[in-house]
Amino acid sequence: MSSIIRDHITELFFNNNYYSKNHYGFIKGRSTALQLLCIMDEWTSKLDLGAQVDAIYTDFAEAFDTVPHRRLLCKLKSYNINHKLLAWIHNFLCDRKQSMYGEFSSWSEVLSGIPQGPLLFFNLY
């Protein structure tokens, strides 16, 4: 089911030109390896001309855990995602509960974090 939804959203984004030409990864034909080749080519050209190249590296390792559900759903709505699909994503994300150490803690609502896959974070959020 998630692959069907991913394909639908990806097609919607391509058809509406929501993806930047600089967006790589998790998109068919735009791998992170291709992105690396493109950026290395660009940097090499600039260095050959004597220009300065600065780079900033960002680690998104914990980013999946910090995405607020309401903000993500508002962002999806702004992309004109079909209301039925938006409702499905809402049901997938919301009303989750977690407990630490099983019986030793009370259950609490999960208000942020994306349970699985890069689509909702990297491609949409």
Side-chain angles (χ1 to χ4, degrees), residues 108-121:
S108 60
E109 191 174 356
V110 178
L111 301 174
S112 66
I114 299 173
Q116 68 182 70
L119 172 74
L120 290 175
F121 180 76

Side-chain angles (χ1 to χ4, degrees), residues 17-82:
N17 295 315
Y18 290 155
Y19 286 129
S20 159
K21 67 180 176 85
N22 298 315
H23 188 116
Y24 290 85
F26 309 109
I27 299 175
K28 189 175 185 176
R30 293 193 195 178
S31 69
T32 53
L34 177 60
Q35 187 272 333
L36 232 119
L37 290 171
C38 291
I39 198 68
M40 289 301 295
D41 187 45
E42 186 177 329
W43 288 350
T44 302
S45 296
K46 296 212 183 278
L47 290 172
D48 286 347
L49 296 171
Q52 178 177 326
V53 174
D54 298 318
I56 297 173
Y57 294 91
T58 306
D59 180 6
F60 288 108
E62 303 296 322
F64 291 98
D65 297 334
T66 62
V67 176
H69 294 159
R70 286 181 190 251
R71 190 175 302 156
L72 174 61
L73 290 166
C74 285
K75 187 149 186 134
L76 291 173
K77 190 174 185 180
S78 75
Y79 287 127
N80 296 319
I81 300 285
N82 176 295

Side-chain angles (χ1 to χ4, degrees), residues 82-98:
N82 176 295
H83 72 280
K84 289 181 180 178
L85 179 55
L86 194 59
W88 187 91
I89 294 170
H90 176 273
N91 289 335
F92 178 72
L93 291 174
C94 299
D95 298 325
R96 291 177 178 262
K97 298 208 180 284
Q98 68 182 4

